[in-house]
Amino acid sequence: MDVKEINRRTIAAFRAGGEIDGMQRDRLILLTTTGRRTGAPYTTPLMYHRDGGRLLIVASNVGAPKHPDWYSNLRKDPNVTVEVGQESYPALATPLSGDDRARTWAMLKNAYPFFAEHEMGTSRVIPVVALTRV
């Protein structure tokens, strides 16, 4: 499976407003981070969960032992761009911690049980990130 090619097709279909194979369009955002080594923009399609005025994303990396690249990028530079629906805007990416992370992570695992499976597949703490419009 070529993840980069799948992402390229998903991004193109999302921006064109078309159907996206195997994904629910209304649960998908495009997150653009700045590459921590290259400084170049890096766009990733991600599932999100709306929580009041913020969007929540999960750096599960399908239970892989390391964080996804987009998460490492936003840790270095939390200024990101979010594309959701027909809208694009700058946002601040803030990894949750403490009680907020614990409460939110429990809610997300309850709503999306596959996140619990991802958690069982790794020894790392899976980050939950809030995206807030700036």
Side-chain angles (χ1 to χ4, degrees):
M1 169 175 37
D2 183 352
V3 174
K4 288 183 180 182
E5 178 56 29
I6 291 169
N7 283 351
R8 277 192 287 276
R9 283 186 296 194
T10 301
I11 291 165
F14 183 93
R15 288 180 173 158
E19 290 293 317
I20 301 168
D21 289 340
M23 298 182 197
Q24 294 180 355
R25 183 177 185 73
D26 62 342
R27 306 296 311 146
L28 189 68
I29 65 166
L30 299 183
L31 177 73
T32 301
T33 59
T34 300
R36 64 195 176 284
R37 287 175 269 194
T38 65
Y42 181 82
T43 301
T44 307
L46 296 168
M47 186 192 117
Y48 76 95
H49 180 87
R50 191 171 298 277
D51 184 47
R54 62 189 187 172
L55 303 181
L56 301 173
I57 55 176
V58 177
S60 73
N61 209 12
V62 195
K66 68 177 206 122
H67 296 309
D69 289 339
W70 62 262
Y71 179 75
S72 299
N73 289 345
L74 68 77
R75 292 292 292 161
K76 182 168 182 187
D77 183 355
N79 298 292
V80 300
T81 300
V82 172
E83 295 174 61
V84 59
Q86 299 297 318
E87 189 176 19
S88 177
Y89 58 85
L92 183 65
T94 307
L96 302 185
S97 61
D99 290 343
D100 189 20
R101 186 214 172 265
R103 176 192 57 78
T104 303
W105 182 234
M107 178 272 297
L108 289 169
K109 288 191 299 182
N110 186 55
Y112 311 101
F114 57 85
F115 283 137
E117 293 173 21
H118 296 180
E119 184 178 46
M120 289 187 307
T122 187
S123 60
R124 68 186 172 87
V125 174
I126 294 177
V128 178
V129 178
L131 303 173
T132 309
R133 184 188 300 256
V134 293

